[in-house]
Every structure is written in C-alpha cells, then in structure tokens.
Amino acid sequence: MRSGNSGHPRPSTDRVKMMLRSCIASRSPGQAEYVLGMYALILVMVLALASLNIMQYKADSDIAEDALAASCLAALDIDPYRYGTDHRLVINDPLSARGIFEEALRKNMNLNAFYEPVTAGDYYISGRVTVDDFRIYLTEGDRVREFRVGEYGVTESTGIYGEMRTPSGSVVRSAGAYARISFDTSGMFGIKVRACKEAYAEMLSDPDRLSHD
C-alpha cells in the first residue's frame, strides 16, 4: 500500500541552486571590473576638474595680486617740488592718495563705480570688491609715519625706521602704500569662496641708505 504522498518525486532544488551560483560566479568578476572601471573614470574626471579649478584659482590670484600692486604704486602721489628740492618722497594728502588708489583699482580689475565686475558671467570676481585696509607710509630720518586711511578719515601713528612693518610683514624703507582687499570668487560646483589679497609698493628715495641698512 502506498501513502498518499507517494508518486513522482519532487525535483531537487539543489541542482538549481548550484546552477545559479555557477552563473553568478561566472559573471561577478566582469561586473565587478565594470563597476570599478566606472568608479575609476569618475575619480579621474573629478581629479581633472579639481586640477583645472586649482590652475584657474592660481591664474586668477596672480591677476588680482598684479592689479592690486599696480594700484598701490599708482597711489604714491609724490610731491615733485619737494623731491626736486631735498630729494624727499612726500605725499601731501593721504586721502587723495586713497582716491587715486581706488580709481586705479577699478580700472585694473575692470570694476564699475560699485566695485563690481563690469563683465559678469565667467569673470573670476563674484560680487563686490571691498577695500579692507589702506595705509600710506612716509620716512623722516629715523622715524616712519603711518597713515591709516579710511573712507572718511585718517589715523596717524609713528614707528622707528627699520622696525616699522606693514600688516603683511614688509619692512618700511621708503614712501609706500599698503592695501588689502577681499571679494567672493566662484569655486567648484558653484561654491563661492572669499578671497583676500594684500600688496605693498614703495618708491626708493635713497638707495645708498637702503644698501647699508
């Protein structure tokens, strides 16, 4: 007598499982290589994009620094009559010197009256350029006079020749102008980064003295 469960035996699932495992095992290496290759390609693209952005930052930084240094040099509005009399480099009006600096800065950095880029879009400056600090330095014997020039006023201080330094650390040897500016610049993926640049330019009035200091 046969039981009710007797009849054709159920097909074993072990064989099916073994076939699936064999199929997956045969395809996994190729799929893994494909995925790894895609990740490697994405990584190379990201690194290339980052390298291009770094190179662009460096180029933009050099442009901004050159423009700032040229503007500082333009601000050295030396009194020609005084220099012709006793060979002293004297700036009679520090406020006027700042005005000359600002005009030169707008021209050198291609800015409008609001210190914003005239050409928008792919220009490296994003937004308004701010003049954070501007100073004029004059030397008189063993003394250095520093004029910190704001938009509406001037603050004067004195220091010892050979010891007076600008905020950037440069030793003051002659009449000079120091400035620091800041502005937003567009980074990778549209992220804005605040950039800060400073420069110091001076004119040499007595090369013999400088060579002995």
Side-chain angles (χ1 to χ4, degrees):
M1 186 175 180
R2 293 182 178 179
S3 72
N5 294 330
S6 62
H8 293 290
R10 288 185 176 183
S12 174
T13 59
D14 293 340
R15 183 177 180 82
V16 176
K17 291 179 179 179
M18 291 179 64
M19 291 176 64
L20 288 173
R21 289 173 181 170
S22 176
C23 182
I24 293 173
S26 63
R27 293 185 179 182
S28 292
Q31 291 177 346
E33 290 177 1
Y34 176 78
V35 172
L36 289 175
M38 289 297 296
Y39 277 118
L41 180 60
I42 293 173
L43 179 61
V44 170
M45 293 176 65
V46 170
L47 291 176
L49 182 60
S51 298
L52 289 174
N53 271 269
I54 291 173
M55 293 173 62
Q56 186 64 47
Y57 283 144
K58 182 65 171 63
D60 294 343
S61 176
D62 292 342
I63 293 173
E65 289 176 358
D66 291 344
L68 182 58
S71 302
C72 286
L73 190 60
L76 295 177
D77 187 23
I78 303 300
D79 184 347
Y81 300 102
R82 185 62 181 271
Y83 184 74
T85 302
D86 56 12
H87 297 285
R88 286 187 56 197
L89 296 175
V90 176
I91 298 174
N92 292 323
D93 190 351
L95 271 175
S96 175
R98 173 165 176 144
I100 296 172
F101 164 78
E102 291 175 344
E103 182 180 354
L105 184 69
R106 289 193 296 269
K107 181 179 180 181
N108 292 332
M109 298 189 75
N110 196 27
L111 306 175
N112 60 23
F114 302 101
Y115 293 88
E116 297 173 344
V118 174
T119 305
D122 58 349
Y123 198 58
Y124 67 95
I125 297 176
S126 177
R128 185 174 184 272
V129 175
T130 303
V131 180
D132 300 318
D133 197 356
F134 181 78
R135 307 185 189 202
I136 289 293
Y137 293 92
L138 298 175
T139 59
E140 297 178 357
D142 294 328
R143 187 177 62 160
V144 178
R145 300 171 67 192
E146 178 190 70
F147 299 90
R148 186 169 184 175
V149 188
E151 291 186 46
Y152 307 105
V154 180
T155 302
E156 182 180 350
S157 59
T158 59
I160 301 173
Y161 183 87
E163 296 182 5
M164 173 70 82
R165 294 177 180 270
T166 67
S168 60
S170 300
V171 178
V172 177
R173 300 292 185 180
S174 184
Y178 164 86
R180 184 178 72 248
I181 62 173
S182 60
F183 53 88
D184 288 333
T185 180
S186 296
M188 194 164 54
F189 307 119
I191 299 175
K192 290 186 177 181
V193 180
R194 193 67 178 173
C196 181
K197 297 296 177 183
E198 57 184 352
Y200 175 64
E202 68 178 16
M203 299 182 69
L204 303 181
S205 60
D206 189 354
D208 292 334
R209 180 181 183 182
L210 298 180
S211 64
H212 288 94
D213 288 334

